[in-house]
Amino acid sequence: MRQHLNTLFVTTDGAWLRKDGANIVVELDGAERGRVPAHLMGGVVCFGHVAMSPPLMGFCAEQGIGVSFLTEHGRFIARVEGAQSGNVLLRRNQYRLADDPAGTAAVAASMAAAKLANQRTVLRRALRDHGPSMEPDAQAGIDDAQRRLGDAARLAAAASDVDTVRGHEGDGASAYFGVFDRLIRAEDPGLRFKGRSRRPPLDAPNALLSFLYALLGHDCRSALEVVGLDPQVGFLHRDRPGRSGLALDLMEELRPLLADRVALSLLNRGQVTAEDFERREGGAVLLRDEARKAVLTAYQERKRDEITHPFLEEKVTVGLIPHLQARLLARHLRGDLDGYPPFLWK
């Protein structure tokens, strides 16, 4: 099993990263703020105006440490990586399946159905934990949405073409995000969810979700590269220049567990408040620097939780799930598995 390596997140504007022996050093205004041994790192993620020395970039590429640069919004800009790993035959199988409508639909259906089922789990857990204290209208709305998600998941799993799968996935997303605000128990009007918005996010919950999705996207892309798959060529997401379609595919079934639940916990426990966000010209809402650190801590802690993998039936840390799913997908592409077994959260 793959060792659970850490990810170094750098969010402070003006930070400078350099190499010192086998260590990654972080400096700010010429003063050292921290250092970590490179052999403990699986990736480095830089947000906003963060710079890195060329020797460190080269060292990370040689050591297989992926380096991602994102905007302060969490939008992907670029990635530095070394020679591509994996068997070329695996990638050729991936491309062949991506060009096969039936094969593409089968993988996309599994991923979309798992995403919808996992979103349903988020709603059902909310009803289980907080249903009695909810207003009747809110409780009824969430209950109706979880039933709609169940129906959409079954229809997506049975669909025979990708466009139909995408249609059912869209119907489920509408039901899910239509009641997402009712899952936020904080009473502050500054934390209300007004419908999914991105590029830029237009309210605090959307800013939090977008930030977490960016973190998850980095982990999924790294997991795919480790097993030798091409992150750009997906099944559920259409090919588009500059977009990591397969990484986005892999994210779908993991968003409810690794991002949505983390966001709700942070908001409902008061760990992130309305004061932790700032509004920019044009309506964009962003997390402040100190709040980002709190979110990163919660995300990393979530990745250390243990869960029983539904297909492998063994205890694993949540942070290993992207890597395990990438390996299961590779096994399917090699022909070792008849179908791709998605991650179903129970």
Side-chain angles (χ1 to χ4, degrees):
M1 184 176 292
R2 184 182 189 278
Q3 184 182 0
H4 192 176
L5 299 178
N6 296 311
T7 302
L8 174 63
F9 299 100
V10 185
T11 64
T12 303
D13 278 354
W16 170 253
L17 281 69
R18 64 178 178 85
K19 175 181 177 292
D20 182 16
N23 297 300
I24 300 173
V25 178
V26 181
E27 294 182 349
L28 186 64
D29 298 328
E32 183 175 320
R33 292 297 184 89
R35 66 171 54 217
V36 293
H39 72 274
L40 297 178
M41 291 293 108
V44 179
V45 183
C46 303
F47 288 87
H49 301 290
V50 175
M52 177 180 293
S53 72
L56 177 57
M57 286 188 189
F59 177 72
C60 288
E62 291 172 355
Q63 298 300 313
I65 302 171
V67 180
S68 297
F69 292 93
L70 289 76
T71 68
E72 58 186 357
H73 296 31
R75 182 175 60 82
F76 178 80
I77 300 175
R79 181 176 172 84
V80 178
E81 59 187 353
Q84 292 183 339
S85 62
N87 190 327
V88 65
L89 298 180
L90 173 62
R91 291 185 182 237
R92 287 174 64 87
N93 287 345
Q94 177 186 354
Y95 302 146
R96 278 194 288 266
L97 189 65
D99 287 335
D100 174 38
T104 293
V107 176
S110 294
M111 291 175 165
K115 172 193 177 181
L116 295 165
N118 292 340
Q119 288 178 328
R120 185 189 187 203
T121 298
V122 172
L123 300 189
R124 296 184 76 172
R125 289 195 172 203
L127 288 172
R128 181 196 67 189
D129 297 339
H130 309 290
S133 62
M134 291 180 181
E135 294 291 333
D137 287 349
Q139 187 175 3
I142 295 172
D143 189 48
D144 178 65
Q146 67 90 11
R147 285 197 297 269
R148 289 172 60 191
L149 280 164
D151 292 340
R154 286 188 290 273
L155 291 170
S160 58
D161 66 272
V162 177
D163 287 338
T164 302
V165 172
R166 292 175 182 141
H168 294 310
E169 188 274 333
D171 291 342
S174 176
Y176 180 68
F177 286 115
V179 297
F180 196 81
D181 186 61
R182 298 175 180 181
L183 307 181
I184 301 173
R185 302 194 308 278
E187 297 181 359
D188 192 326
L191 295 178
R192 298 275 56 87
F193 180 81
K194 303 170 184 176
R196 186 74 180 109
S197 60
R198 51 193 179 272
R199 298 181 186 177
L202 300 177
D203 57 46
N206 272 294
L208 183 54
L209 287 173
S210 292
F211 186 75
L212 286 164
Y213 290 163
L215 302 180
L216 180 57
H218 168 86
D219 287 349
C220 289
R221 178 168 179 144
S222 297
L224 293 166
E225 288 170 343
V226 165
V227 301
L229 290 168
D230 186 342
Q232 301 295 123
V233 180
F235 303 100
L236 181 59
H237 288 82
R238 293 185 176 90
D239 290 346
R240 183 180 299 171
R243 182 166 77 173
S244 300
L246 189 59
L248 293 174
D249 287 354
L250 188 61
M251 280 178 62
E252 293 297 346
E253 61 202 72
L254 306 181
R255 289 178 196 248
L257 171 65
L258 269 165
D260 299 356
R261 282 286 293 183
V262 174
L264 289 170
S265 294
L266 287 166
L267 293 170
N268 291 336
R269 293 174 181 173
Q271 294 170 279
V272 173
T273 67
E275 287 70 34
D276 290 319
F277 299 86
E278 59 178 306
R279 184 173 293 276
R280 299 287 181 84
E281 290 185 11
V285 177
L286 302 178
L287 273 167
R288 298 184 188 276
D289 190 56
E290 287 302 316
R292 289 183 188 178
K293 295 175 183 177
V295 176
L296 290 169
T297 298
Y299 181 71
Q300 291 296 83
E301 289 177 350
R302 180 57 170 148
K303 287 167 64 175
R304 287 193 287 269
D305 289 347
E306 284 197 343
I307 192 171
T308 299
H309 192 282
F311 181 78
L312 300 175
E313 296 183 342
E314 62 179 78
K315 285 276 190 180
V316 298
T317 56
V318 169
L320 279 177
I321 293 174
H323 297 275
L324 295 172
Q325 293 306 123
R327 290 187 183 279
L328 290 172
L329 179 58
R331 289 179 61 189
H332 170 54
L333 294 173
R334 291 191 183 99
D336 298 334
L337 294 173
D338 291 337
Y340 166 66
F343 177 78
L344 290 168
W345 179 34
K346 298 179 181 178

